[in-house]
Amino acid sequence: AKLLYKKKKSTEILHNLSGGGSSDGSDDDTLSLMLDKLNGAKTGASFLPRLNLADFEKDDESNGHVAFVTAASNLRAMAYGIPPADAMETRRVAGRIVPAMITTTGLVSALSCLELVKLLKGLPLGMYRNAFVNLALPFFAFTAPMPAEEVEGING
């Protein structure tokens, strides 16, 4: 179907987008084939095996989650010369990961939103801040960004 950038009636545009062709009689199936492929992708890749989701449960011995994570982390520890961890240490670390991720994500999102408000207000570069954060210490450092280096473009 031809898509022209002229003002058309909405029913004609919908007819063209749904693969019905244009009102001038030309019948191009390219768009309808693309829409069919997109609709097929929307339903998922049916040729792949279905995956079963499993929630990580660190306190349940029967599911083998902690045993797997402990084994995988100990293999990595051996590769890098780090002392291996037992199952209790793995549980302790796993119990702290999610709260740390949530806290860090919330902080970074809030700082990004503050800078976005400054951008929307059109404030000068000196009002913006780069943030360096380490929640484990805790350490927060804010610096003013440097202006970008100006270079000549392709056309001078």
Side-chain angles (χ1 to χ4, degrees), residues 130-148:
N130 292 325
F132 303 94
V133 179
N134 186 339
L135 295 176
L137 294 179
F139 176 74
F140 302 89
F142 298 95
T143 62
M146 301 280 295

Side-chain angles (χ1 to χ4, degrees), residues 53-71:
L53 297 179
D55 291 329
F56 178 75
E57 181 53 55
K58 65 180 176 56
D59 298 323
D60 185 6
E61 287 288 333
S62 65
N63 59 24
H65 293 170
V66 173
F68 174 78
V69 172
T70 303

Side-chain angles (χ1 to χ4, degrees), residues 26-78:
S26 64
D27 218 11
D28 186 12
D29 290 328
T30 306
L31 186 58
S32 62
L33 288 174
M34 282 182 13
L35 287 173
D36 289 341
K37 285 184 181 182
L38 288 173
N39 285 330
K42 196 167 44 173
T43 60
S46 59
F47 57 89
L48 292 175
R50 289 300 234 176
L51 300 177
N52 296 324
L53 297 179
D55 291 329
F56 178 75
E57 181 53 55
K58 65 180 176 56
D59 298 323
D60 185 6
E61 287 288 333
S62 65
N63 59 24
H65 293 170
V66 173
F68 174 78
V69 172
T70 303
S73 67
N74 286 340
L75 284 173
R76 189 169 175 89
M78 286 173 34

Side-chain angles (χ1 to χ4, degrees), residues 53-145:
L53 297 179
D55 291 329
F56 178 75
E57 181 53 55
K58 65 180 176 56
D59 298 323
D60 185 6
E61 287 288 333
S62 65
N63 59 24
H65 293 170
V66 173
F68 174 78
V69 172
T70 303
S73 67
N74 286 340
L75 284 173
R76 189 169 175 89
M78 286 173 34
Y80 290 100
I82 301 169
D86 62 353
M88 285 305 292
E89 178 68 10
T90 302
R91 278 191 187 87
R92 186 185 66 76
V93 171
R96 293 182 178 177
I97 287 175
V98 172
M101 284 178 27
I102 292 170
T103 304
T104 305
T105 303
L107 178 67
V108 170
S109 299
L111 291 173
S112 299
C113 287
L114 287 173
E115 297 307 308
L116 180 63
V117 169
K118 295 175 187 177
L119 180 69
L120 293 174
K121 285 187 161 190
L123 297 177
L125 182 63
M127 298 298 293
Y128 293 86
R129 292 292 176 259
N130 292 325
F132 303 94
V133 179
N134 186 339
L135 295 176
L137 294 179
F139 176 74
F140 302 89
F142 298 95
T143 62

